Amino acid sequence: MSQLIVLGSVNADHVLQVPSFPRPGETLHGHNYQVIPGGKGANQAVAAARLGADIGFIACVGDDSFGQNIRQAFAQDGMDISAVHMIDNTPTGIAMIQVSESGENSICIAAAANDGLTSEIVEQHGEKIEQAKYLLMQLETPLAGIELAASIAKAQGTQVVLNPAPARSLPDALLAMVDIITPNETEAELLTGVAVTDASSAAKAAQVLHDKGIATVMITLGSKGVYLSEQGTGKIIPGFKVQATDTTAAGDTFNGAFVTALLEGQTMDNAIVFAHGAAAISVTRFGAQTSIPSRDEVEQFIATN
């Protein structure tokens, strides 16, 4: 059984580079169109696998050619794909992504096969969750499955790590089962009602999440780094400064790398620095899984920065 179980989405990312995001009614000429493997769950799983984690992935793909090929690619990256289900007569999830010249992205998604990741499928793989050390999840799949996975993990002492993205409100019952939460500023504000702009406001938001039962809160602050709060004691752990090409999957790379480092017994601070390094490399590259670095690349980057 794998030490890390990732539960989440798989998407085919249709990516187009544009000079800027179009206004309503405006047509812009883009370039460098590609179809790239993505989806928050898959990105985090691939990041963990490439960085050396012992990982299994619970997900649903379509029976289209993309779904068939991506399962093989996951296996080649070294993950257990026995819980990656193929849904008949259904396309794999898709994301339409525009990337501006500044490196920012605009994304629209259609769940498709991801909607098949129901509590019934999660229940089939309860033993994998029970025997793992960590369960890592996001919010691109049905909430009932996420809640069931968290409850299975909580009952057996598997650490629950939730990256609450895309941003949405969540029931307190789910938050109470989370051990580590990793929202960005937008997601933190939606969950807490506190607008996060700096360390002081991040501390207030973190306390709201602590009060809901979450021991460790990590609010990602973009170029400023991460605000880490453990049992109400907080600090900013700065990131690395790089020239961004495409921020797609930077947060996913961070999450996958962070849990990988925790599995190795690294301290919370060192795990965050390792994750910062992996994410920094990813934003200098184009696409989602195409941007995720190897272990050697991350270690070399951290050593020279």
Side-chain angles (χ1 to χ4, degrees), residues 76-91:
Q76 287 166 0
D77 270 321
M79 69 178 83
D80 173 9
I81 61 164
S82 61
V84 178
H85 291 248
M86 193 169 285
I87 309 295
D88 291 340
N89 303 312
T90 304

Side-chain angles (χ1 to χ4, degrees), residues 171-191:
D172 284 349
L174 172 59
L175 294 174
M177 294 186 285
V178 173
D179 296 289
I180 302 171
I181 196 164
T182 62
N184 64 18
E185 301 109 308
T186 304
E187 293 147 9
E189 180 176 356
L190 189 65
L191 291 172

